[in-house]
Amino acid sequence: MRTTRPRPRPPAAYLRYYPQNPSAANRDRIALRSFAARLGLPTPVLYLDNGCPATGLRPELERLITAVMKGNHRLLVVPGLWVFSPEDDQARLTVRMLSAAGCLRIFELPDRARRPVVPGPASLRIPCQKRPGL
């Protein structure tokens, strides 16, 4: 009798930028994919809140937490905890929320743990809840 091993759950990857920064998001997406491969993990499922402030609505973070609660992901890769909030206390609160939801481990890129300072034009500072299509 053959038993079929269940497919491993893919890890999740989360990115958040405010203001919107498509080039940084693309660069970090590639870095997270490469980092997951170096860890021997499948390609992560990306959750991207591009243009969402840490204090506003973050629909993709909400989707991520829901997916973790449903058991779709147990591992998360991020460039640094700053993606959750520039405030350490708030970032740690989000980490605790993800852990309570069922996330077993959060991997940070070793060389990107510090939040980059990326200036952006004021015209791109559109809060998530006001962006079209959400």
Side-chain angles (χ1 to χ4, degrees):
M1 174 158 91
R2 287 178 58 174
T3 58
T4 316
R5 291 179 77 179
R7 287 184 60 186
R9 296 178 190 126
Y14 179 71
L15 295 170
R16 182 193 60 81
Y17 297 95
Y18 183 74
Q20 289 184 4
N21 193 332
S23 62
N26 190 49
R27 179 195 64 230
D28 286 341
R29 179 188 55 79
I30 292 167
L32 291 175
R33 178 183 270 177
S34 174
F35 183 51
R38 286 194 318 261
L39 293 171
L41 301 172
T43 301
V45 175
L46 179 64
Y47 296 83
L48 171 63
D49 281 322
N50 198 2
C52 298
T55 57
L57 293 176
R58 295 174 285 173
E60 289 299 297
L61 179 60
E62 291 176 20
R63 271 186 4 117
L64 168 61
I65 292 169
T66 299
V68 169
M69 289 173 62
K70 289 180 178 179
N72 296 338
H73 309 292
R74 291 291 178 238
L75 304 175
L76 175 63
V77 291
V78 295
L81 297 184
W82 53 263
V83 297
F84 302 127
S85 174
E87 302 295 327
D88 288 342
D89 290 345
Q90 289 300 315
R92 284 193 296 273
L93 178 62
T94 303
V95 168
R96 286 194 299 274
M97 222 174 3
L98 285 161
S99 294
C103 186
L104 300 178
R105 181 101 188 254
I106 297 175
F107 295 96
E108 294 179 69
L109 287 176
D111 57 344
R112 297 291 314 278
R114 296 175 59 89
R115 178 163 178 64
V117 177
V118 183
S123 63
L124 293 178
R125 296 173 193 243
I126 303 168
C128 267
Q129 62 269 27
K130 294 183 182 176
R131 286 194 334 210
L134 291 180

